[in-house]
């Protein structure tokens, strides 16, 4: 089964790369921009099967290591994108989303050995409260990744429009209001899940973290707390600015992107300290 | 191929000449009724657009088609004096098909790739069908022409991108807003350009239009003309009051000073928190350029729109060879279809079909007969097939003398379908190709 898992693990980034290429062709050639892509649902099913096999092999949810979480973020991003495409019937942002998903899955797949080393190490993350911390974190990462992709596209599109640059991107990008709306809504969803993640993380820390003594705090955990709190404050400002201060779409998008970059730093730091 | 076109277009005559021969309104129908009574056109269809007046027809060969056409037009339009025939063109046979397909592809239009001509062709065909002057041949030809029009629009860049300033304004707005139906447009000024832009936006889906104009009566008049939208008129100095609820602003007043200034509107627009597309079509400009510096505002002036239009025209021009290739292919297909319906070749195929059937049956039952009986059987089946085929072959031969082109084609096509002669032809062609390949 390990061989099968290994093969599937390396096929996954290729599947997402193929989807990114397919969406790239749609973006450039401007054909089928409003059709649904059956490849997305096939990729999700394929990825889902991989995760189920993984769970069967290692006896638990694939939510222990950061690399497993990356893979789950990748498949949930694909699922969210599939839902978005279903509603908006617009495929033009697909290439950017699937490039990100490819990068996430490639990073995850490239660390297979690390995953195997961590898989089955159920520990407290497989416990009920642990799931309540990790699952919303996965959803938060997914939604914030979406927010960042759409925010980037909005900022690029806005810059083109402002500078009257009527080139390829002007033609191919989805309308700006759609990009701005998708960016903000994704960020809000991510922010909500991030809040839940922080609360459940606090409870976990209280129960298991310090062990009740004066033990020095784990540097990985400290980095997570500091960077996560900074990102949370930025997203909170973003929501407040949008609703109360009537900030412009470009400012909201730029802050969404900045918040995501901090989250990315958090993730990379967490990987580095693993 | 018995098919021709006579016409006058923007390529051969200026508008003041073209309008003399235009068959607008009910004139096209009256022309067809008059032409139908005459023994000059077996089939006829009139295409009349602002750039061309054309008659597509199947001649009977009984008279001069150009004279007949011009005579009817002169009578209907009350024209007197000599007609300058040099401004008219005539294409026959395959050239007529090429011309029609070029028209359907909008390659022959003044604005290459424009969309109206396909609809106008459909209307022209509908009228001819109603008047019973378009039958099998023109019907097939027109359906192939519609296909050409659709293919060039879907497979090339020919029909993409706006090529007028007014529609470019609507395109710019569509790059900012996904759902045009929920948008409110503020028209500042009620001139012709504003009206054209408003119409483009309405056809793009906009349903709420506010027209602010110095002369309120003109704005009110325009609201009545803009069907398909909920339009209301206000005085020009109230434009600032509604801009807070507006998504798209189109300016085209004749004012020498900016009408929308940063000092008056900067704060209002900044506080909106949503996107605003402003298109300034006026020269001198109506909108203070400083408003374009606000983060949520996208300000475009006439220069920007001209650039969009120029870029789209260039893109269409670059794709003309692809469109021409589609036309060429479809002309080839049509000619192939037409040629396949010739009586002589169909008779050959029919004979071949029966011969194959005969041989198959002899092979099937031949073993039950003695050698001498088998010879009799050969003769009997040959004779039977000839007798069975005698009437259909005589009918096909007679068609060439007695029937109209459409009747001939229809009959031949029916027979070909009935006996699946295309299969036989394909087999024969395949064998021919194989022989060529062997050589």
């Amino acid at each position: 089964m390990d061989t099968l898992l290994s093969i599937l693990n390396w096929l996954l980034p290729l599947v997402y790369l193929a989807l990114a290429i397919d969406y790239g062709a749609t973006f450039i050639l401007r054909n089928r921009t409003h059709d649904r892509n059956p490849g997305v649902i096939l990729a999700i099913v394929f990825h889902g099967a991989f995760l189920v096999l993984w769970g069967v092999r290692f006896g638990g949810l694939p939510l222990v290591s950061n690399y497993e979480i990356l893979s789950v973020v990748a498949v949930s991003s694909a699922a969210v994108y599939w839902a978005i495409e279903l509603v908006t019937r617009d495929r033009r942002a697909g290439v950017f989303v699937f490039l990100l998903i490819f990068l996430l899955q490639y990073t995850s797949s490239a660390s297979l050995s690390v995953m195997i080393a961590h898989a089955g190490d159920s520990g407290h993350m497989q416990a009920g409260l642990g799931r309540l911390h990790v699952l919303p974190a996965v959803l938060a990462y997914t939604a914030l990744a979406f927010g960042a992709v759409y925010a980037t596209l909005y900022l690029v599109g806005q810059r083109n429009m402002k500078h009257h640059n009527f080139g390829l991107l002007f033609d191919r990008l989805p309308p700006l209001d759609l990009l701005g709306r998708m960016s903000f809504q994704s960020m809000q969803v991510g922010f909500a899940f991030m809040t839940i993640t922080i609360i459940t993380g606090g409870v976990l820390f209280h129960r298991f973290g310090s062990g009740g003594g004066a033990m020095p705090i784990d540097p990985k955990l400290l980095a997570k707390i500091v960077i996560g709190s900074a990102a949370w404050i930025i997203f909170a400002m973003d929501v407040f600015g949008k609703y109360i201060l009537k900030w412009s779409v470009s400012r909201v998008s730029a802050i969404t992107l900045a918040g995501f970059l901090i989250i990315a730093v958090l993730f990379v730091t967490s990987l580095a300290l693993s | 191929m018995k098919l021709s076109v006579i016409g006058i277009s923007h390529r051969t005559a200026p508008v003041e000449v073209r309008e003399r021969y235009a068959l607008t309104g009910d004139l096209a129908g009256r022309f067809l009724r008059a032409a139908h009574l005459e023994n000059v056109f077996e089939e006829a269809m009139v295409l009349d657009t602002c750039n061309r007046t054309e008659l597509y027809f199947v001649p009977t060969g009984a008279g001069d088609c150009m004279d007949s056409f011009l005579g009817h037009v002169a009578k209907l339009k009350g024209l007197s004096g000599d007609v300058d025939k040099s401004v008219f063109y005539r294409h026959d046979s395959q050239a007529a098909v090429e011309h029609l397909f070029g028209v359907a592809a909008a390659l022959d239009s003044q604005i290459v790739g424009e969309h109206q001509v396909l609809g106008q062709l459909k209307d022209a065909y509908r009228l001819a069908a109603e008047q019973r002057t378009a039958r099998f041949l023109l019907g097939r030809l027109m359906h192939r022409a519609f296909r050409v029009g659709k293919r060039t629009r879907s497979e090339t860049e020919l029909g993409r991108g706006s090529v007028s300033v007014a529609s470019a304004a609507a395109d710019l707005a569509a790059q900012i807003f996904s759902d045009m139906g929920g948008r409110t447009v503020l028209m500042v000024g009620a001139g012709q350009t504003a009206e054209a832009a408003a119409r483009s936006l309405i056809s793009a889906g906009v349903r709420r239009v506010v027209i602010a104009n110095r002369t309120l009566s003109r704005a009110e008049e325009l609201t009545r003309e803009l069907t398909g939208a909920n339009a209301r008129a206000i005085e020009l100095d109230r434009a600032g009051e509604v801009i807070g609820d507006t998504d798209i602003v189109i300016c085209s007043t004749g004012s020498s000073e900016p009408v929308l200034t940063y000092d008056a509107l900067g704060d209002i627009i900044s506080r909106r928190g949503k996107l605003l597309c402003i298109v300034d079509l006026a020269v001198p400009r109506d909108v203070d350029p400083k408003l374009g510096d606000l983060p949520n505002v996208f300000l475009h002036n006439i220069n920007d729109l001209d650039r969009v239009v120029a870029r789209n025209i260039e893109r269409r021009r670059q794709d003309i060879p692809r469109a021409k290739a589609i036309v060429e292919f479809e002309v080839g297909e049509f000619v192939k279809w037409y040629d396949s319906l010739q009586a002589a070749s169909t008779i050959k195929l029919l004979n071949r079909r029966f011969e194959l059937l005969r041989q198959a049956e002899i092979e099937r039952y031949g073993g039950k007969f003695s050698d001498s009986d088998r010879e009799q059987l050969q003769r009997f089946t040959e004779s039977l097939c000839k007798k069975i085929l005698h009437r259909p072959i005589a009918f096909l031969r007679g068609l060439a003398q007695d029937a109209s082109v459409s009747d001939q084609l229809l009959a031949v096509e029916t027979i070909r379908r009935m006996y699946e002669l295309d299969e036989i032809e394909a087999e024969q062609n395949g064998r021919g190709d194989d022989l060529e390949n062997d050589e």
Side-chain angles (χ1 to χ4, degrees):
Chain A
M1 188 182 254
D2 284 356
T3 314
L4 176 66
L5 271 177
S6 184
I7 292 167
L8 292 181
N9 179 59
W10 278 112
L11 277 177
L12 275 173
L14 293 178
V15 166
Y16 289 122
L17 183 64
L19 276 173
I21 291 168
D22 181 46
Y23 275 96
T26 299
F27 184 79
I28 291 167
L29 303 175
R30 232 181 358 186
N31 55 358
R32 302 175 293 128
T33 51
H34 300 291
D35 294 352
R36 284 176 203 152
N37 189 346
V40 178
I41 198 76
L42 289 176
I44 294 167
V45 170
F46 181 63
H47 201 148
F50 167 76
L51 292 175
V52 168
L53 274 178
W54 184 270
V56 170
R57 166 65 182 83
F58 296 105
L61 288 175
L63 294 169
V64 178
S65 77
N66 285 326
Y67 301 108
E68 286 173 299
I69 289 173
L70 270 186
S71 189
V72 179
V73 169
V75 70
S76 53
S77 297
V80 171
Y81 177 76
W82 178 75
I84 288 172
E85 197 176 276
L86 214 60
V87 175
T88 62
R89 302 206 68 181
D90 195 320
R91 295 175 65 169
R92 286 174 289 182
V95 58
F96 305 100
V97 173
F98 279 99
L99 275 177
L100 178 74
I101 294 174
F102 163 70
L103 285 175
L104 293 175
Q105 186 54 45
Y106 179 78
T107 312
S108 168
S109 295
S111 311
L112 178 68
S113 56
V114 181
M115 288 175 82
I116 290 169
H118 283 74
D121 174 18
S122 29
H124 58 262
M125 287 302 170
Q126 296 292 347
L129 200 56
R131 280 181 206 156
L132 282 181
H133 176 66
V134 178
L135 282 174
V138 168
L139 294 171
Y141 282 134
T142 306
L144 292 171
F146 265 87
V149 169
Y150 282 105
T152 308
L153 293 180
Y154 177 84
L155 292 170
V156 170
Q158 188 231 23
R159 192 181 152 75
N160 270 315
M161 191 69 94
K162 279 271 185 195
H163 291 84
H164 313 296
N165 183 5
F166 306 121
L168 180 81
L169 283 173
F170 168 80
D171 276 344
R172 308 296 203 266
L173 281 180
L176 286 177
D177 75 326
L178 179 74
L179 294 173
R181 208 168 54 235
M182 290 307 303
S183 165
F184 185 66
Q185 285 174 358
S186 305
M187 187 276 290
Q188 281 186 112
V189 172
F191 177 62
F193 281 116
M194 195 179 176
T195 308
I196 297 169
T197 308
I198 288 172
I199 292 168
T200 51
V203 175
L204 267 179
F205 179 69
H206 180 71
R207 278 209 191 160
F208 308 105
S210 64
M215 204 172 75
I217 194 164
D218 174 15
K220 183 179 155 190
L221 191 59
L222 184 66
K224 277 186 176 179
I225 291 169
V226 172
I227 302 174
S229 304
W232 188 89
I233 289 167
I234 284 175
F235 290 128
M237 276 168 53
D238 214 8
V239 175
F240 182 80
K242 169 78 179 174
Y243 285 119
I244 310 299
L245 304 176
K246 300 280 178 196
W247 279 353
S248 66
V249 184
S250 53
R251 181 181 289 182
V252 171
S253 300
I255 292 173
T256 300
L257 185 59
F260 178 75
L261 290 176
I262 290 176
I263 291 285
V265 169
L266 168 71
F267 204 88
V268 172
T269 310
S270 173
L271 284 179
L273 294 174
S274 294
Chain B
M1 188 187 298
K2 282 180 82 177
L3 187 79
S4 300
V5 56
I6 290 173
I8 180 170
S9 78
H10 64 100
R11 293 193 189 278
T12 58
V15 65
E16 55 272 20
V17 177
R18 292 202 308 271
E19 64 193 7
R20 291 187 70 210
Y21 303 100
L23 293 171
T24 50
D26 67 340
L27 288 179
R30 285 169 60 194
F31 172 90
L32 291 175
R33 277 195 293 277
H36 192 45
L37 298 173
E38 212 176 28
N39 188 27
V40 178
F41 308 111
E42 257 183 46
E43 296 182 46
M45 186 195 88
V46 172
L47 172 67
D48 190 87
T49 74
C50 52
N51 287 324
R52 68 186 66 247
T53 300
E54 289 178 337
L55 174 71
Y56 292 88
F57 61 96
V58 178
T60 57
D64 188 308
C65 298
M66 180 73 90
D67 285 346
S68 175
F69 169 64
L70 293 176
H72 282 300
V73 172
K75 203 184 287 178
L76 287 167
K77 303 270 299 188
L79 302 175
S80 56
D82 288 341
V83 174
D84 177 12
K85 286 186 183 174
S86 68
V87 295
F88 287 89
Y89 47 83
R90 175 175 175 154
H91 304 295
D92 298 302
S93 197
Q94 187 170 331
V97 181
E98 281 166 7
H99 178 81
L100 172 67
F101 288 5
V103 169
L107 283 167
D108 199 48
S109 298
Q110 204 157 21
I111 297 169
V112 172
E114 51 101 356
H115 290 258
Q116 288 93 331
V117 73
L118 199 56
Q120 288 161 331
L121 266 175
K122 285 179 181 170
D123 290 343
Y125 174 61
R126 199 175 298 124
L127 180 69
E130 280 167 12
Q131 301 293 332
R132 297 174 188 278
T133 59
R135 298 171 61 209
F136 185 66
L137 177 56
L138 273 187
R140 276 299 174 92
L141 177 73
M142 293 312 295
H143 282 100
R144 183 63 77 162
F146 302 152
R147 183 183 147 85
V148 172
K150 281 179 195 157
R151 280 193 65 195
T152 46
R153 275 153 191 79
S154 62
E155 295 174 28
T156 72
E157 296 280 323
L158 218 62
R160 292 198 181 132
S162 44
V163 287
S164 74
V165 165
S167 53
D171 278 3
L172 278 175
Q175 286 297 120
I176 298 173
F177 300 109
S178 51
D179 168 28
M180 295 292 270
R183 304 294 157 194
T184 301
V185 177
L186 170 63
M187 312 292 307
V188 182
Q192 277 188 336
T193 324
E195 186 181 338
R199 288 191 195 285
S200 291
L201 285 163
I202 290 167
S203 57
V206 165
R207 291 291 166 266
R208 286 193 300 273
V209 180
V210 181
I211 302 164
N213 196 42
R214 221 175 283 283
T215 317
L216 188 61
S217 58
R218 168 62 193 140
E220 283 167 345
E221 190 187 327
L222 187 54
T223 59
R224 284 190 290 275
E225 287 170 13
L226 293 177
T227 50
N230 176 13
R232 68 186 173 99
I234 58 170
E235 277 164 343
L236 186 61
D237 48 13
R238 287 184 56 210
E241 292 172 25
V242 295
I243 208 162
D245 300 321
T246 301
D247 303 292
I248 301 158
V249 181
I250 307 284
C251 296
S252 66
T253 75
S255 169
S256 54
E257 295 294 320
V259 179
L260 305 182
T261 62
Y262 183 85
D263 293 341
L265 300 170
D267 275 351
I268 300 171
I269 293 173
S270 299
R271 281 201 302 270
R272 290 161 32 102
K274 57 179 186 173
L275 305 180
L276 177 66
C277 172
I278 305 178
V279 182
D280 189 354
L281 299 170
V283 179
R285 287 177 291 176
D286 277 344
V287 184
D288 186 347
K290 271 173 76 181
L291 282 175
D293 296 336
L294 292 172
N296 278 344
V297 175
F298 299 96
L299 171 61
H300 301 287
N301 61 32
I302 194 83
N303 278 347
D304 306 321
L305 297 185
D306 282 343
R307 279 178 48 216
V308 172
V309 169
R311 187 197 62 148
N312 290 341
I313 288 172
E314 175 57 20
R315 192 179 288 168
R316 286 184 181 199
R317 202 185 58 75
Q318 284 175 356
D319 236 16
I320 286 175
R322 281 178 67 202
K324 280 187 173 167
I326 291 173
V327 168
E328 203 175 303
F329 173 80
E330 294 291 347
V331 168
E333 289 294 296
F334 185 79
V335 170
K336 210 189 290 174
W337 169 80
Y338 186 91
D339 288 346
S340 75
L341 298 186
Q342 298 312 300
S345 60
T346 305
I347 290 168
K348 275 185 196 160
L349 292 171
L350 202 55
N351 276 322
R352 175 79 186 143
R353 164 63 83 196
F354 272 73
E355 178 58 20
L356 287 173
L357 271 174
R358 195 183 69 79
Q359 282 173 8
E361 292 306 297
I362 282 183
E363 199 154 304
R364 195 170 161 197
Y365 295 107
K368 295 177 182 170
F369 293 87
S370 66
D371 286 350
S372 60
D373 285 348
R374 230 181 349 258
E375 210 169 290
Q376 290 293 327
L377 181 69
Q378 286 275 9
R379 277 205 290 275
F380 164 72
T381 51
E382 273 172 16
S383 168
L384 184 66
C385 285
K386 269 184 193 161
K387 285 205 161 59
I388 291 171
L389 280 174
H390 174 72
R391 282 205 167 274
I393 289 173
F395 171 71
L396 283 170
R397 285 193 177 127
L399 280 174
Q401 277 103 49
D402 312 328
S404 68
V405 174
S406 273
D407 285 346
Q408 286 175 46
L409 296 175
L410 185 59
V412 172
E413 193 181 66
T414 308
I415 287 172
R416 286 180 74 102
R417 278 194 191 174
M418 202 186 285
Y419 293 105
E420 295 177 337
L421 299 185
D422 287 345
E423 256 178 34
I424 305 286
E425 192 170 42
E427 270 174 33
Q428 281 187 344
N429 289 343
R431 237 185 10 236
D433 290 347
D434 290 345
L435 284 173
E436 273 175 32
N437 291 339
D438 290 345
E439 281 164 18

